[in-house]
Structures are given as C-alpha cells and as structure tokens.
C-alpha cells in the first residue's frame, strides 16, 4: 500500500527520537518483498530552515498549508522543548483532523504534551514522559484514566511514546504501517535492543523466507 510520511520539523526538534524510524522508512531495506520505500515529506510552519536540537539544519519540503494528508498516510510529530507554545497550534489542528479522519498520527516525547494540551489525549489510550509531569505542564488535560505506564502505546490511529523509547516508538509505527513482516520486525527490534549478533542473523533470514 502506498503512503506518504509527513514529518513535522521545527526548531529544537529532538532529531534522535525519530532516527531509527526515518532510516527504515526512507531506505525500505527491510520492507516486505514488493514494497517500495516510503516517501518522507518534511513539513514546516514556513519553508525556511529549522535547526534541530542536535544542530542539524533541515529545509522543509512543504509548508503546513501545502500539506494534504490522505487516508493511508501518516503524520509524525517529533519531541522538542516548545510543544506548549502557540507556534505549534496549526500542526495540532492538522493532527486533530487526522485523528478524526482515521489517519495515523504518531507523537513522541514533547509532542505528546502538545496533543494533551490540545485535548487530543483525553479519550484515547496514550503515554508520555511521565503522568505527573504531563498534568503539571497541561492543566487542561483530563485523560489520566487513559494513561498507560508503557514506553509506547497504540490506540487505534494514535501512537504515543516516551522520549526515552525511540526504538519502541519505531516498532509501533512500523507495525501500524505493516511494512515489515512480523518476524523481521521482531528480529529488528531485538537486535537494536540487545545488540546480540544472533538477532542479526534472524533478521537476515526473515528477509528470504
């Protein structure tokens, strides 16, 4: 199934939190046979360079008002230190439309606070960096009963993750997109999590089965 990955980019974004994921989506090196790599489109508030927390400069491919997300696409929201600021309200409006339209939205770390502040986590299973911190930063948040003490959570078309879990975040997104076989995904995760060589061989074997 063809899909486009829309990656929101902004100053101070936590570039390492989406590193595992974007590398696999863009390369497609472990995708199921017959599937082409995903198309990643970077989206910014303006089409001017942004500087990530790691000092990398990214020129967005398109502006928010050029963003046309369809049913098989996905919106990825990286973490960062500015998610409670008004500058992110436009992308949060788009995220709301995506969630209502059954389009996949994946948010990690600070982005979960943006979703919480926008009221988008109140009725969905989710996680974040810490429940008490989330409540403190977002006083209008009322989704405590739906908070799960997990590194990453998928609830329908919403994926959320702690900033300490970029690997688990990647697994949830790759599973939702159904681009890896189950054996490939399990081996890929185990290899990156444990660093044990045996999982590399399992990963390679899964690609020829």
């Amino acid at each position: 199934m063809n899909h486009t990955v829309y990656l929101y980019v902004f100053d101070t974004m936590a570039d390492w939190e989406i590193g595992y994921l974007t590398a696999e989506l863009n390369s497609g090196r472990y995708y199921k046979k017959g599937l082409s790599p995903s198309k990643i489109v970077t989206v910014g508030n303006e089409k001017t360079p942004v500087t990530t927390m790691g000092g990398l400069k990214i020129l967005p491919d398109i502006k928010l008002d050029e963003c046309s997300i369809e049913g098989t696409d996905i919106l990825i929201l990286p973490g960062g230190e500015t998610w409670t600021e008004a500058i992110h309200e436009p992308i949060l409006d788009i995220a709301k439309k995506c969630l209502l339209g059954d389009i996949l939205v994946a948010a990690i770390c600070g982005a979960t606070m943006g979703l919480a502040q926008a009221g988008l986590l109140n009725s969905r299973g989710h996680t974040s960096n810490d429940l008490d911190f989330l409540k403190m930063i977002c006083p209008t948040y009322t989704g405590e009963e739906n908070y799960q003490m997990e590194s990453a959570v998928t609830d329908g078309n919403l994926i959320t993750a702690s900033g300490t879990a970029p690997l688990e975040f990647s697994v949830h997104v790759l599973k939702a997109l159904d681009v890896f076989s189950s054996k490939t995904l399990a081996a890929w995760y185990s290899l990156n999590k444990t660093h044990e060589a045996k999982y590399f061989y399992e990963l390679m074997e899964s690609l020829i089965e």
Side-chain angles (χ1 to χ4, degrees):
M1 181 179 294
N2 294 326
H3 58 261
T4 300
V5 177
Y6 289 92
L7 173 64
Y8 180 57
V9 295
F10 56 94
D11 286 321
T12 79
M13 64 175 276
D15 40 21
W16 71 92
E17 292 177 351
I18 44 92
Y20 285 111
L21 181 57
T22 54
E24 301 307 342
L25 293 174
N26 183 66
S27 69
R29 58 182 176 167
Y30 302 133
Y31 275 22
K32 295 176 180 178
K33 290 180 181 178
L35 291 184
S36 300
S38 300
K39 179 181 180 182
I40 297 179
V41 176
T42 52
V43 185
N45 282 314
E46 300 293 337
K47 202 171 180 180
T48 53
V50 301
T51 303
T52 71
M53 198 178 294
L56 303 179
K57 292 189 182 301
I58 300 175
L59 178 64
D61 295 314
I62 61 174
K63 297 191 301 182
L64 280 178
D65 58 10
E66 300 174 278
C67 187
S68 179
I69 304 181
E70 299 179 344
T72 59
D73 298 332
I74 176 175
L75 175 64
I76 297 178
L77 305 176
E81 298 181 342
T82 59
W83 269 104
T84 56
E85 298 179 10
I87 191 173
H88 299 300
E89 289 178 1
I91 191 64
L92 290 170
D93 286 340
I94 290 177
K96 181 178 181 179
K97 292 176 182 176
C98 289
L99 291 171
L100 291 174
D102 203 29
I103 295 170
L104 189 62
V105 175
I108 185 170
C109 194
T112 63
M113 291 185 284
L115 294 178
Q117 184 164 276
L120 301 178
L121 301 184
N122 291 336
S123 60
R124 300 170 181 268
H126 62 277
T127 192
S128 184
N129 295 331
D130 177 75
L131 177 58
D132 289 335
F133 184 71
L134 187 63
K135 291 163 62 178
M136 179 179 70
I137 296 297
C138 306
T140 59
Y141 165 74
T142 59
E144 181 174 354
E145 66 179 14
N146 295 308
Y147 189 93
Q148 298 179 28
M149 299 296 183
E150 303 288 346
S151 57
V153 172
T154 297
D155 184 355
N157 62 324
L158 174 66
I159 297 171
T160 51
S162 161
T164 61
L167 190 58
E168 288 75 13
F169 179 65
S170 302
V171 168
H172 278 246
V173 173
L174 292 169
K175 183 177 181 180
L177 292 176
D178 194 28
V179 289
F180 282 21
S181 72
S182 58
K183 287 185 177 180
T184 298
L185 187 58
W188 180 86
Y189 173 72
S190 296
L191 173 62
N192 285 287
K193 190 70 173 178
T194 69
H195 311 142
E196 293 183 20
K198 66 178 182 178
Y199 293 115
F200 171 77
Y201 296 105
E202 288 187 10
L203 176 58
M204 294 300 102
E205 289 174 359
S206 74
L207 299 176
I208 59 177
E209 292 180 352

